[in-house]
Amino acid sequence: MREFNEIVIPDLGSFGEDSGLQKLDICSDGRFAVGSNGVQTIAATGDGKVEFIAFENKSIAFVRSSMGYPAYYPVEPAGIDKPLKAVLMDLDGTSVRSESFWIWIIQQTTASLLGNPNFELEDEDLPYVSGHSVSEHLKYCVNKYCPDKSVEQAREFYFKHTHEEMELIVQGRGRKDAFTPSPGIKEFLLKLKEANLKIGLVTSGLYEKAWPEILSAFRQLDMPDPKNFYDAIITAGFPLRKGSAGTLGELSPKPHPWLYAEVARVGLGLEPSERRSVIGIEDSGAGVCSIRLAGFAAFGLADGNIIESGTKALCEHYCDNFEEIESLIL
């Protein structure tokens, strides 16, 4: 790893030593190296999930994958032109506080794999069992705690536990503390509606996970049917199980750009030329990268892992609460 000096990544920005980015000599897949084929700089996010390869007048991003399917994307310039047309919002951590519940499901899954109902995850596991795809979370636990098992076996237990818990929550009989609306979310959403902004909800979670979360939060907030309130809701779809068809989602979650691109272009009908009239709000580093690679300006929300993941510098603004975001966009 190279000594960090200020770097410039075209269409992304200039970054100093306090940016959280790490300067590299070579891309982790070996395809690009500084000083070869016009490459001037390579820098990775602090968590190593995304690597930016900078040329003289353009940049590309390499999104790594623990499942073996990485991808390269062009880096598009992003900014804000007011009045805005749409606000895209993450679900977990941004709109609803649910991380501890889903970590508990991962723990229950690992316990089932081990045949040990008393199993508990360690503190050092937490960065690897939240913020990414289900398969990546499970792969980490399988590798560490039960390497004789497979991710496929883990998925069976995971969806069994998830299905049981979600059924109870939809019926109003589940864990009362599972999903809590984020502070200020109701007031913020109603302000966006008053301003006639389109609102898109985005999650890397599967529909059967996401819908009970949304429904539970709206019930607590005494708000109308979320399917009618939001202008578009995009989830990671439905899981692949024996005897049924799944949908794409496990290999294309955040930090890939597709969920945010889908909700904006397909869900809200916004053209790529309207990107500067759209912002995305996220509390995770993977989400910030996803928004940014989709070509939108990212607003970071505190209390997630943006600082720890080394992605704060990729945010147009980093805010402590929704009230602060509201003052910047309305």
Side-chain angles (χ1 to χ4, degrees):
M1 190 176 295
R2 296 164 62 92
E3 180 181 351
F4 198 105
N5 296 311
E6 185 172 64
I7 59 174
V8 176
I9 303 177
D11 296 324
L12 194 68
S14 299
F15 305 94
E17 189 173 1
D18 60 349
S19 68
L21 298 179
Q22 306 174 57
K23 196 169 185 181
L24 308 176
D25 288 318
I26 188 168
C27 193
S28 59
D29 68 349
R31 290 178 184 268
F32 295 97
V34 174
S36 298
N37 300 313
V39 176
Q40 297 188 347
T41 302
I42 299 175
T45 54
D47 58 8
K49 290 286 181 180
V50 181
E51 298 171 0
F52 297 99
I53 299 93
F55 300 85
E56 183 177 2
N57 297 310
K58 64 180 180 181
S59 302
I60 57 177
F62 175 59
V63 176
R64 302 177 65 181
S65 169
S66 65
M67 296 294 288
Y69 284 86
Y72 279 94
Y73 299 100
V75 175
E76 302 289 349
I80 300 174
D81 289 335
K82 292 184 178 180
L84 292 179
K85 295 179 179 179
V87 174
L88 315 180
M89 299 182 65
D90 167 52
L91 177 62
D92 292 311
T94 300
S95 301
V96 178
R97 302 293 170 86
S98 59
E99 184 177 60
S100 61
F101 175 80
W102 292 115
I103 291 174
W104 177 75
I105 291 287
I106 293 290
Q107 180 173 283
Q108 294 296 100
T109 299
T110 309
S112 295
L113 282 171
L114 293 169
N116 175 14
N118 297 318
F119 169 80
E120 292 186 1
L121 291 167
E122 300 174 353
D123 289 344
E124 64 184 30
D125 298 328
L126 299 185
Y128 304 98
V129 294
S130 64
H132 310 296
S133 73
V134 170
S135 292
E136 287 180 307
H137 297 160
L138 297 178
K139 183 174 175 59
Y140 169 82
C141 290
V142 165
N143 288 345
K144 179 174 179 179
Y145 291 109
C146 41
D148 59 318
K149 307 295 183 181
S150 68
V151 172
E152 289 68 32
Q153 289 173 301
R155 282 170 60 85
E156 289 184 18
F157 280 119
Y158 178 89
F159 291 119
K160 175 180 179 293
H161 289 301
T162 296
H163 180 73
E164 292 172 352
E165 293 296 326
M166 294 299 98
E167 282 290 312
L168 292 173
I169 288 170
V170 169
Q171 295 167 14
R173 300 189 294 114
R175 290 173 50 147
K176 296 185 186 300
D177 62 344
F179 309 124
T180 304
S182 296
I185 185 69
K186 180 176 182 177
E187 295 77 8
F188 181 69
L189 289 174
L190 294 178
K191 285 286 187 181
L192 297 182
K193 281 290 185 181
E194 288 177 13
N196 293 317
L197 291 176
K198 293 182 177 180
I199 310 173
L201 185 65
V202 178
T203 176
S204 286
L206 296 164
Y207 177 82
E208 67 181 58
K209 293 174 53 181
W211 181 243
E213 286 192 44
I214 302 166
L215 192 60
S216 174
F218 268 56
R219 282 174 178 169
Q220 293 178 60
L221 294 171
D222 193 26
M223 291 181 68
D225 185 344
K227 288 181 179 177
N228 296 325
F229 183 87
Y230 288 102
D231 297 287
I233 300 174
I234 293 293
T235 74
F238 299 90
L240 178 62
R241 294 192 182 107
K242 183 175 177 58
S244 64
T247 54
L248 181 67
E250 286 296 310
L251 295 180
S252 58
K254 307 166 188 178
H256 294 277
W258 299 116
L259 292 168
Y260 279 104
E262 180 105 3
V263 77
R265 183 65 188 92
V266 180
L268 302 180
L270 296 166
E271 297 282 351
S273 60
E274 300 176 279
R275 283 173 172 161
R276 292 180 62 92
S277 297
V278 181
I279 68 158
I281 304 174
E282 271 279 359
D283 75 313
S284 75
V288 166
C289 289
S290 180
I291 291 171
R292 194 59 192 77
L293 292 181
F296 308 123
F299 278 59
L301 193 60
D303 295 331
N305 73 344
I306 290 175
I307 293 177
E308 292 81 359
S309 65
T311 57
K312 181 181 177 183
L314 306 184
C315 297
E316 190 79 13
H317 296 282
Y318 183 77
C319 303
D320 289 326
N321 50 54
F322 286 115
E323 187 176 6
E324 187 177 345
I325 297 177
E326 179 188 324
S327 70
L328 291 168
I329 65 174
L330 297 182

